[in-house]
Amino acid sequence: MHFTDLGLSADILRAVTEQGYDTPTPIQAQAIPVVLAGRDLMAAAQTGTGKTAGFTLPILQLLATRAPVKRGKPRCLVLVPTRELAVQVHESVRTYGKHLHLKAAAIFGGVGMGNQLAALRSGVDIIVATPGRLLDHIEQRSADLSAIEILVLDEADRMLDMGFIRDIRKIIGLLPKKKQTLLFSATFSDEIRGLATGLLDNPTSVEVARRNAPAEAVAQAVYHVDRERKKDLLIHLITEHGWHQVLVFTRTKHGADALSDRLLKAGIHAAALHGNKSQGQRQRALDDFKKLKIHVLVATDIAARGIDIDELPHVVNYELPNIPEDYVHRIGRTGRAGSSGEAVSLVCVDELKLLRDIEQVLKRSIEKRVVTGFEPDPRIKAEPIQKPRTGRGQAPNRNQPAGQRKPQTAAKSGKPAGHHFGSRHR
Ligand code: AMP
């Protein structure tokens, strides 16, 4: 299968070739013809599968070849959970559409409205937006959705986890009834199916990665180590192996800052990435990480969502996530699009139950290692894992980064709040 077999136009194929892609990924091979045929799509695809190009390429083609019904109004809306993903999808639209004459705007919170207002006023074909900030623009009448022909819900499961369901439904209510809808989600939960019912019209379902099946290319290992010695072990592993591009996950923002400080003191170029950082700081940290000026990026799960780096060689779970599915998401950051990668987890006695849960979801056991000099002390007893502070009781604030907004689904659905607050609200 080649890109040329998918019915894409010469201008789009040229941009794809310039990106260095020659073979479509499975999601692209399956999704592109469906979208080009104008059908609704429900796709189970995780980050790293090439899903962004899977919807961006055919949408660009449809918009470039169709005459606008209402001239000057946006025709495609892509809703995404985080500002990082908004930036990334916007970048993809620009990259793949560079030989076309379409305009796009990225709309997200945490930055001023001015540039976004100017972009929207100048007229765009495609809006890539996080739900909260888009609603702000709608209220100010700076975004007109009356001519939307194509709606994409990207990472729909994350948007629901982050409490965006009401915002999403509000936005959908403002769109024309007749439109093409594409829904991408890592998993098809009951909640996702509920959203899809009534929204999608006789959709084609496409599934590329088995649920909870991490990329085969990722080698996984667990290092058993004591709680207090994790920092030293991490420094040892990074220096011993000469790791130069490592994404490290911590459970809390505070933990990310503390670890990054400790690494810096050890002479390792590190930075923390989380929701309390300004947009500028986050972008700079990401750019420096991509350029290898920073070797270690310490991030919380939500902050890491938008990181798009080819062939990320090392992912470290400095702390295991509370929800096994988050482990799969995390290690999905390495070994992307066919390259190999390594995911290691530093596991102390407190986390043995979490490790068992993860192995159960993976349906396999992960290789265990102990480094000489870092052997766990069997006399140390397990302690309860501290939940991050949740900031409950605050009203959702649109100007806060999406990752910090209070999830509403947990409270609304009557599920135990810990299920969401414990893992998502960092
Ligand atoms: P995504 O799942 O959309 O986040 O894409 C994952 C990564 O794969 C991105 O960095 C893309 O640049 C890359 N990618 C997408 N499609 C292809 C392809 N057909 N061949 C090689 N790399 C690709």
Side-chain angles (χ1 to χ4, degrees):
M1 169 75 76
H2 288 281
F3 272 104
T4 42
D5 302 328
L6 293 172
L8 294 166
S9 70
D11 283 339
I12 291 179
L13 287 174
R14 187 143 63 97
V16 166
T17 310
E18 284 165 5
Q19 272 306 100
Y21 308 161
D22 48 19
T23 318
T25 65
I27 186 72
Q28 291 162 0
Q30 293 182 60
I32 290 172
V34 175
V35 181
L36 285 179
R39 293 185 55 99
D40 281 3
L41 176 76
M42 179 142 172
Q46 299 181 343
T47 297
T49 54
K51 67 180 168 65
T52 315
F55 64 81
T56 310
L57 297 172
I59 286 175
L60 286 167
Q61 166 131 341
L62 288 176
L63 296 180
T65 49
R66 264 187 215 154
V69 181
K70 294 185 191 171
R71 207 157 264 292
K73 293 198 176 178
R75 296 188 281 160
C76 171
L77 171 64
V78 183
L79 286 178
V80 296
T82 62
R83 50 187 176 184
E84 281 83 4
L85 196 58
V87 169
Q88 185 187 321
V89 171
H90 182 233
E91 245 173 54
S92 294
V93 168
R94 285 169 47 154
T95 305
Y96 303 134
K98 66 177 167 190
H99 303 301
L100 305 170
H101 301 284
L102 296 168
K103 285 170 74 181
I107 303 296
F108 48 83
V111 294
M113 300 279 274
N115 288 343
Q116 297 176 4
L117 273 172
L120 290 170
R121 288 214 181 104
S122 74
V124 294
D125 301 280
I126 301 169
I127 296 180
V128 183
T130 53
R133 175 54 71 92
L134 180 62
L135 280 173
D136 292 341
H137 280 285
I138 292 169
E139 275 164 24
Q140 294 194 12
R141 300 187 185 280
S142 43
D144 178 349
L145 304 181
S146 66
I148 295 291
E149 299 163 27
I150 305 170
L151 167 68
V152 182
L153 299 175
D154 192 15
E155 306 206 349
D157 52 337
R158 286 276 151 175
M159 288 202 279
L160 296 195
D161 284 347
M162 290 162 72
F164 284 137
I165 186 66
R166 285 174 58 192
D167 288 355
I168 292 172
R169 289 205 184 276
K170 226 187 218 175
I171 291 166
I172 290 172
L174 298 168
L175 303 176
K177 277 248 160 322
K178 189 173 163 307
K179 63 185 169 301
Q180 183 180 10
T181 304
L182 319 176
L183 185 149
F184 287 80
S185 184
T187 58
F188 285 162
S189 62
D190 290 347
E191 243 180 327
I192 292 286
R193 289 182 196 283
L195 177 67
T197 313
L199 179 61
L200 300 180
D201 176 21
N202 191 19
T204 302
S205 280
V206 166
E207 189 157 358
V208 287
R210 214 164 13 96
R211 195 179 163 184
N212 301 332
E216 291 300 319
V218 182
Q220 301 169 61
V222 160
Y223 286 89
H224 284 300
V225 60
D226 289 333
R227 194 185 308 122
E228 304 299 332
R229 305 219 53 208
K230 281 190 176 187
K231 288 192 177 76
D232 289 336
L233 176 59
L234 181 62
I235 292 165
H236 170 83
L237 290 173
I238 292 170
T239 39
E240 177 89 1
H241 298 288
W243 290 348
H244 59 281
Q245 201 178 32
V246 195
L247 178 60
V248 179
F249 285 93
T250 59
R251 213 176 282 133
T252 63
K253 297 172 206 169
H254 173 72
D257 281 333
L259 180 57
S260 138
D261 286 350
R262 179 75 180 79
L263 293 174
L264 283 170
K265 284 205 184 90
I268 295 170
H269 296 293
L273 187 81
H274 55 63
N276 285 2
K277 303 265 172 186
S278 72
Q279 172 69 4
Q281 285 173 318
R282 283 148 68 114
Q283 201 55 54
R284 208 169 318 120
L286 268 180
D287 290 345
D288 286 351
F289 187 55
K290 281 188 188 180
K291 290 185 198 140
L292 301 180
K293 281 200 219 159
I294 285 175
H295 295 160
V296 182
L297 199 57
V298 188
T300 54
D301 288 84
I302 287 180
R305 287 296 296 166
I307 298 176
D308 167 40
I309 296 168
D310 295 337
E311 301 172 28
L312 189 58
H314 299 283
V315 167
V316 174
N317 295 302
Y318 182 76
E319 289 149 335
L320 288 180
N322 290 348
I323 294 196
E325 281 76 8
D326 280 354
Y327 175 87
V328 178
H329 271 292
R330 288 179 177 188
I331 73 167
R333 320 296 328 202
T334 176
R336 312 182 96 192
S339 66
S340 64
E342 185 179 27
V344 309
S345 303
L346 309 191
V347 176
C348 71
V349 65
D350 311 340
E351 301 170 297
L352 296 179
K353 160 109 179 52
L354 292 178
L355 178 60
R356 278 197 301 274
D357 292 346
I358 287 166
E359 291 184 323
Q360 220 165 37
V361 166
L362 296 174
K363 297 194 177 67
R364 55 176 274 199
S365 91
I366 304 170
E367 183 194 329
K368 313 291 181 313
R369 296 177 191 164
V370 172
V371 177
T372 311
F374 291 91
E375 297 88 349
D377 180 345
R379 292 167 302 183
I380 296 178
K381 297 271 178 296
E383 287 180 10
I385 292 170
Q386 287 204 331
K387 294 259 166 76
R389 276 183 293 153
T390 62
R392 273 197 238 188
Q394 291 161 6
N397 176 358
R398 288 223 183 106
N399 295 323
Q400 254 179 301
Q404 293 167 52
R405 296 175 77 195
K406 181 186 170 188
Q408 292 153 2
T409 43
K412 260 189 65 196
S413 64
K415 281 186 203 151
H419 175 79
H420 281 279
F421 285 111
S423 73
R424 311 283 185 208
H425 199 69
R426 282 162 268 241

